[in-house]
Amino acid sequence: MSESKLQGYLVVKVLEAAGQNGDDDQVWDESVRNVFAKIEIRGPKARPVKKQTSVSRVAGGVVTWEEQLALEHFEGSGELRILLCQPKPKQPGEKSSSVVLAACGIYMKDILDAVPIDKYFELFKPGEGADGGFIRISMNYLKPDQVRNPDSLLGRKSTKKSGGIIPKLLMGAVLLGGGALAVKMIQHAREETDGSDETEKKKGNLFGKK
């Protein structure tokens, strides 16, 4: 599948879920003890994007996360899926797996028309379509030009180089004894950095890299 064009970022805060239906009847059984929420953006012409919360314990028919997730929204992705899942017990050496307790789907178009959103969404049990409780989600949407650092927003490691050793040394020098020491340490750090850069260039040439 070819890479679709990035449309923006859906910022989702998963707040809490409750095991009651609209009539306040309990719809989760006693086996539902530890759960997590999985958020997916899907579409027939785009790769699925998935994020999930940590596993949290159910207490009194309610589970709380208050965790923020950010998902890339690509062209051709028309549906948001919210799934309430429970980890399956596993034996040593087995891969982790889970079972979907309840879920719901929302058209991305409806979300984009309504953001910012903060509401309870009704969940339904898979297959039978019976009541599956409610989950409270808040959502907002950012265009690509509104995000200066996508890696930070998405919670992944940046591919860009950090500020390096000089800012760290400067802070240390200030704490230790003032501006003169800071200047000396920065000059020393620059000399070391220049030398290491020259070494890296030689290494690069050695392995045929430009």
Side-chain angles (χ1 to χ4, degrees), residues 78-99:
E79 183 185 10
L80 177 75
R81 294 183 183 178
I82 304 171
L83 302 96
L84 188 68
C85 306
Q86 178 168 257
K88 286 183 177 179
K90 66 172 185 175
Q91 299 299 322
E94 291 183 344
K95 290 184 178 180
S96 299
S97 61
S98 60
V99 58

Side-chain angles (χ1 to χ4, degrees), residues 141-161:
Y141 193 83
L142 300 172
K143 293 288 188 180
D145 60 4
Q146 294 177 291
V147 180
R148 291 186 61 186
N149 190 340
D151 288 330
S152 177
L153 176 68
L154 297 169
R156 63 193 181 195
K157 292 183 179 179
S158 175
T159 56
K160 297 180 181 179
K161 290 185 178 180

Side-chain angles (χ1 to χ4, degrees), residues 167-182:
K168 294 178 182 178
L169 287 175
L170 178 60
M171 179 61 71
V174 172
L175 292 174
L176 287 171
L181 179 58

Side-chain angles (χ1 to χ4, degrees), residues 28-210:
W28 296 350
D29 61 43
E30 293 181 358
S31 66
V32 179
R33 297 178 181 176
N34 297 288
V35 298
F36 64 93
K38 185 184 292 185
I39 310 295
E40 303 179 356
I41 300 180
R42 290 180 167 270
K45 298 182 180 179
R47 64 179 178 85
V49 178
K50 305 176 182 180
K51 290 285 185 73
Q52 67 183 54
T53 67
S54 61
V55 176
S56 190
R57 189 166 184 80
V58 177
V62 176
V63 58
T64 303
W65 295 282
E66 295 190 1
E67 294 181 22
Q68 179 173 295
L69 307 172
L71 297 88
E72 295 165 304
H73 174 219
F74 293 101
E75 185 178 31
S77 298
E79 183 185 10
L80 177 75
R81 294 183 183 178
I82 304 171
L83 302 96
L84 188 68
C85 306
Q86 178 168 257
K88 286 183 177 179
K90 66 172 185 175
Q91 299 299 322
E94 291 183 344
K95 290 184 178 180
S96 299
S97 61
S98 60
V99 58
V100 177
L101 301 172
C104 69
I106 311 158
Y107 288 118
M108 283 298 300
K109 180 182 180 301
D110 294 337
I111 294 172
L112 298 181
D113 289 341
V115 288
I117 300 169
D118 184 341
K119 65 174 291 185
Y120 285 90
F121 292 93
E122 192 171 4
L123 301 171
F124 300 94
K125 294 180 180 179
E128 56 190 283
D131 294 339
F134 287 87
I135 187 166
R136 185 184 171 196
I137 300 282
S138 69
M139 288 183 274
N140 211 336
Y141 193 83
L142 300 172
K143 293 288 188 180
D145 60 4
Q146 294 177 291
V147 180
R148 291 186 61 186
N149 190 340
D151 288 330
S152 177
L153 176 68
L154 297 169
R156 63 193 181 195
K157 292 183 179 179
S158 175
T159 56
K160 297 180 181 179
K161 290 185 178 180
S162 62
I165 193 172
I166 292 177
K168 294 178 182 178
L169 287 175
L170 178 60
M171 179 61 71
V174 172
L175 292 174
L176 287 171
L181 179 58
V183 171
K184 289 181 181 179
M185 294 183 75
I186 290 173
Q187 288 174 343
H188 181 65
R190 281 178 175 158
E191 289 171 3
E192 289 191 346
T193 303
D194 292 341
S196 64
D197 287 346
E198 194 62 36
T199 304
E200 288 301 320
K201 288 178 183 177
K202 292 178 181 178
K203 287 181 180 178
N205 291 335
L206 181 65
F207 290 98
K209 298 178 182 178
K210 293 183 180 180

